[in-house]
Amino acid sequence: MIKIDVLQGKSEVLELHWLAGVEQNDKKGWQVRIVTRGVSSGEFVMSRVPIGLFPVLALGYRFSDGRLLPITYGEYSEVIVPNLAAGKEINSSEIPPGLYSFEGKSQGVQRLLRYQVDQVEYLVPAMELIRSLFLHNKTLANHIMQPGGIMTLFRPVKPGFYPRLQLDFTQQMPVRSLKRSFVLEFSWLAVDTEGRRAWDSIYERTVKQRYMTFDPPDLHDCGMKFRGVRKGNQWLVLEISEFTGKRVPCDVLYFSHPSLGKTITVRMPKSQPKRRGPDGSPSSGDVPVIDTVGSGSRTDVHQPALPILTRTSIFDREIEVRRVDKKDRVRVIRRRNKGAADTNENEGKTRKYRGSGKTPPPKVSVSPESLHDDLLPMEFQVLAVEKGEGTDDLRRLMQVIRTMANGLIDVRVLTALCRLETGQAFSMVGRRQRLCLVAVFFQEKTFPVVLLDVEHSNKMALSTLLLRFKRSIGLRDIEVHILSILHQLDCRGGHWDVTENEGDQLARYERLRKVMRPDPGGNEQEQNGVWAEKLKKKIFEAPGPSAST
């Protein structure tokens, strides 16, 4: 995860409540105006951060002492939008207070797109559409408000369809960003006619305005998976995790980069064991701190890419993506060879890799690179290589919990997804963090109950876990206990480290062997209703500690 220096030193957890457009500072650098809300105090504060942070700024993200927390609250759903370009642009002042509250403060002039699908209204902030469609690393974010800036990242190609397309990236594109999913997304935003038109419209419609907006691309039957808040038949979308409907602009895609053909020897020190905090999370020394004051960073085409994998890249079809290498390319050496630096045979073949090593430097920058700045650069990787079949099960269980919650009285339900902190092999699905569904049930006469259901990708079988707390406890303390349990789960290779007879003074634990048993031929809505009733009995009809005792 990351730390943002401007959010450090606060006495409470901060939630990213709103994005209030972009502006230029006195050094002509672009910044995003972010509005945070204190979880305890409810106080709103506006801060300014470099636009390079935009790819990892989604509404609802929470920060403790500037550190991005792994638990994100909201309801998860999906919708198929008939035409993404047909949304009606509205002002943020039109958001109903009952749907998303600004506690009487001004709601500003930011733009949203309104979509009506099957009697349900979806309000999508223009900045979230821009972030999820285009900003797949900090380099793209730093060029989004530069007129023609994308032309400096690759050898220009006229937008259109090509049987064989070659993208020749320049030194301004960090070579570690060039994964298959990123190259496909770049081909769409840079070469596809609709993608490029939408990209160019961002600067044209945003410059000199107090808001950020664009002309959405003409994507038909656009599937959108998202996290949001809902009231009645209205949704406010907070974070989009998946888009469908984009078409690749070629049949075969080739790409090259000047650094892919050079002889590079990278001397990386042996990685040190990761230091863990008391709750199982990485210690503060392992988390890079993002600078928000400086104007830039030093130049490094091999800068490390920090994985914060929150989106999945999906196109209309699979195509072949090939890397164009030169013949003199050699393998990268990743172990320090004592004395090798003193030998003459390596002279001229080795150059220092700044920012190398698995532990990020204490202070890094996501601002544009410059020959006159000295901070180490840090890139982001937000596109997941694979989503894992288990994420669909989590979304389905979310729907079941929502169905159950609609019939509950005097029960407040919070749902969230938690990203397991990277550690053992169990915490990862491919190259991304495994997810866990968290549902917290607050009741008037009994103590809180928490449901944990971990993603089942990679054929992992693990029962759902219920936590019945034995005393009054606040949400932040509940989160700390959840993270501790998930850390132990990871350390034990995917086995719960709790039993009902432990004599735990904080909570009692119950395993639910199978919450859902899908019937492929059944009606989904009817199945959700049946499962909701069964889950309701398991959670609320079992005896639990009373708040009055």
Side-chain angles (χ1 to χ4, degrees):
M1 290 298 174
I2 59 172
K3 271 191 172 185
I4 301 177
D5 64 357
V6 75
L7 302 181
Q8 286 184 290
K10 311 300 180 183
S11 60
E12 62 179 330
V13 172
L14 302 179
E15 182 178 80
L16 182 55
H17 192 78
W18 199 241
L19 298 179
V22 296
E23 65 180 25
Q24 280 185 297
N25 58 22
D26 54 1
K27 296 180 180 179
K28 301 300 182 182
W30 285 96
Q31 297 178 309
V32 179
R33 294 187 291 263
I34 65 173
V35 179
T36 57
R37 182 182 67 86
V39 171
S40 301
S41 67
E43 181 183 2
F44 289 95
V45 176
M46 180 180 287
S47 306
R48 289 159 177 80
V49 299
I51 199 171
L53 268 173
F54 199 175
V56 294
L57 295 178
L59 300 182
Y61 280 12
R62 303 201 302 165
F63 300 84
S64 176
D65 192 29
R67 179 177 177 269
L68 177 62
L69 296 176
I71 299 179
T72 308
Y73 291 95
E75 293 188 44
Y76 292 76
S77 189
E78 55 188 289
V79 64
I80 297 179
V81 178
N83 186 355
L84 197 65
K88 180 182 178 182
E89 188 171 292
I90 65 171
N91 193 298
S92 54
S93 62
E94 299 179 52
I95 301 175
L99 177 62
Y100 199 64
S101 176
F102 288 79
E103 305 295 340
K105 306 291 185 181
S106 171
Q107 297 179 201
V109 295
Q110 297 308 306
R111 298 308 195 242
L112 300 92
L113 279 299
R114 175 190 286 152
Y115 300 96
Q116 191 87 19
V117 182
D118 296 333
Q119 309 303 315
V120 179
E121 189 174 83
Y122 299 86
L123 306 181
V124 189
M127 291 187 73
E128 176 57 24
L129 277 173
I130 291 170
R131 191 185 75 90
S132 55
L133 280 170
F134 302 110
L135 305 187
H136 310 303
N137 68 357
K138 69 99 186 248
T139 300
L140 289 173
N142 282 329
H143 286 77
I144 195 77
M145 286 302 294
Q146 304 295 334
I150 195 173
M151 309 295 281
T152 65
L153 300 179
F154 76 120
R155 183 172 60 82
V157 176
K158 183 179 179 181
F161 183 85
Y162 295 83
R164 181 191 185 279
L165 173 63
Q166 178 161 331
L167 297 176
D168 297 313
F169 291 99
T170 67
Q171 290 279 14
Q172 291 197 38
M173 177 63 74
V175 69
R176 294 194 174 196
S177 290
L178 301 183
K179 312 294 185 184
R180 173 188 168 87
S181 55
F182 179 86
V183 174
L184 281 169
E185 288 286 354
F186 189 91
S187 73
W188 178 78
L189 67 89
V191 182
D192 179 80
T193 305
E194 281 300 308
R196 182 59 177 278
R197 178 188 63 79
W199 169 281
D200 290 340
S201 72
I202 297 171
Y203 174 81
E204 295 166 359
R205 296 199 57 198
T206 301
V207 67
K208 298 182 180 180
Q209 302 295 337
R210 294 169 56 200
Y211 53 81
M212 190 176 205
T213 190
F214 75 130
D215 296 326
D218 190 19
L219 299 181
H220 292 268
D221 295 327
C222 178
M224 187 168 63
K225 293 184 177 180
F226 63 90
R227 172 178 58 85
V229 293
R230 180 181 186 177
K231 184 172 184 182
N233 67 339
Q234 283 186 316
W235 279 95
L236 175 68
V237 174
L238 303 179
E239 178 183 17
I240 299 170
S241 60
E242 183 177 303
F243 264 118
T244 64
K246 288 180 285 189
R247 298 179 180 274
V248 287
C250 58
D251 291 325
V252 180
L253 178 58
Y254 294 81
F255 71 95
S256 69
H257 189 281
S259 294
L260 290 177
K262 289 183 178 179
T263 300
I264 305 171
T265 301
V266 178
R267 304 196 180 283
M268 297 178 66
K270 293 182 178 180
S271 59
Q272 298 296 322
K274 290 188 176 181
R275 300 183 295 277
R276 292 279 175 176
D279 62 350
S281 62
S283 66
S284 59
D286 293 329
V287 182
V289 179
I290 307 296
D291 174 73
T292 60
V293 179
S295 60
S297 68
R298 65 175 67 172
T299 301
D300 187 355
V301 72
H302 293 282
Q303 61 191 263
L306 185 68
I308 304 179
L309 307 179
T310 56
R311 296 201 290 275
T312 304
S313 176
I314 296 180
F315 282 86
D316 61 323
R317 58 198 172 98
E318 288 289 326
I319 66 166
E320 188 175 4
V321 179
R322 297 180 183 177
R323 185 174 65 188
V324 179
D325 287 343
K326 294 182 179 179
K327 292 181 179 180
D328 60 351
R329 184 175 183 271
V330 298
R331 67 185 178 89
V332 176
I333 299 174
R334 297 186 179 275
R335 291 291 183 185
R336 181 180 295 277
N337 183 9
K338 292 183 179 180
D342 299 324
T343 61
N344 293 327
E345 62 181 359
N346 286 306
E347 203 169 308
K349 293 185 179 180
T350 303
R351 57 177 176 164
K352 187 176 181 181
Y353 173 60
R354 293 171 292 188
S356 64
K358 292 187 177 180
T359 301
K363 196 91 167 184
V364 297
S365 173
V366 294
S367 296
E369 297 171 34
S370 167
L371 296 175
H372 308 291
D373 292 294
D374 196 48
L375 280 178
L376 292 168
M378 173 67 73
E379 185 55 276
F380 296 123
Q381 180 188 351
V382 299
L383 293 172
V385 178
E386 54 183 317
K387 66 172 184 176
E389 69 278 5
T391 57
D392 290 332
D393 291 340
L394 294 185
R395 292 180 185 278
R396 186 72 182 273
L397 183 54
M398 279 271 195
Q399 295 173 3
V400 172
I401 292 173
R402 185 165 65 239
T403 300
M404 179 183 68
N406 291 335
L408 297 176
I409 300 175
D410 297 330
V411 178
R412 183 166 66 100
V413 183
L414 295 178
T415 56
L417 284 183
C418 177
R419 297 177 293 274
L420 269 66
E421 294 284 4
T422 55
Q424 308 300 319
F426 174 78
S427 66
M428 305 299 291
V429 177
R431 294 187 178 182
R432 68 166 175 81
Q433 294 159 279
R434 189 180 293 274
L435 300 176
C436 175
L437 166 61
V438 178
V440 185
F441 302 90
F442 291 100
Q443 308 168 73
E444 285 191 355
K445 298 182 179 180
T446 58
F447 300 124
V449 177
V450 173
L451 179 147
L452 301 179
D453 191 69
V454 177
E455 176 186 351
H456 294 174
S457 294
N458 296 347
K459 299 181 180 180
M460 188 277 299
L462 184 68
S463 57
T464 301
L465 188 69
L466 274 185
L467 289 68
R468 297 186 184 276
F469 286 95
K470 298 179 180 179
R471 59 177 174 81
S472 296
I473 185 171
L475 182 59
R476 182 57 184 149
D477 291 331
I478 290 176
E479 293 171 352
V480 171
H481 191 57
I482 289 172
L483 293 177
S484 177
I485 290 175
L486 293 178
H487 171 61
Q488 294 300 321
L489 175 70
D490 184 29
C491 291
R492 289 171 56 88
H495 299 280
W496 293 118
D497 189 31
V498 292
T499 63
E500 294 183 27
N501 301 317
E502 278 186 345
D504 192 304
Q505 298 299 310
L506 183 61
R508 180 162 59 86
Y509 308 96
E510 300 174 17
R511 290 178 173 85
L512 306 182
R513 297 297 177 187
K514 191 70 175 178
V515 175
M516 302 186 301
R517 297 183 182 275
D519 177 9
N523 180 279
E524 182 174 310
Q525 189 171 356
E526 292 179 0
Q527 286 183 7
N528 287 352
V530 172
W531 295 335
E533 284 299 317
K534 291 182 178 180
L535 187 59
K536 180 181 176 181
K537 291 180 180 179
K538 292 177 183 289
I539 296 176
F540 299 105
E541 295 185 10
S546 172
S548 60
T549 59

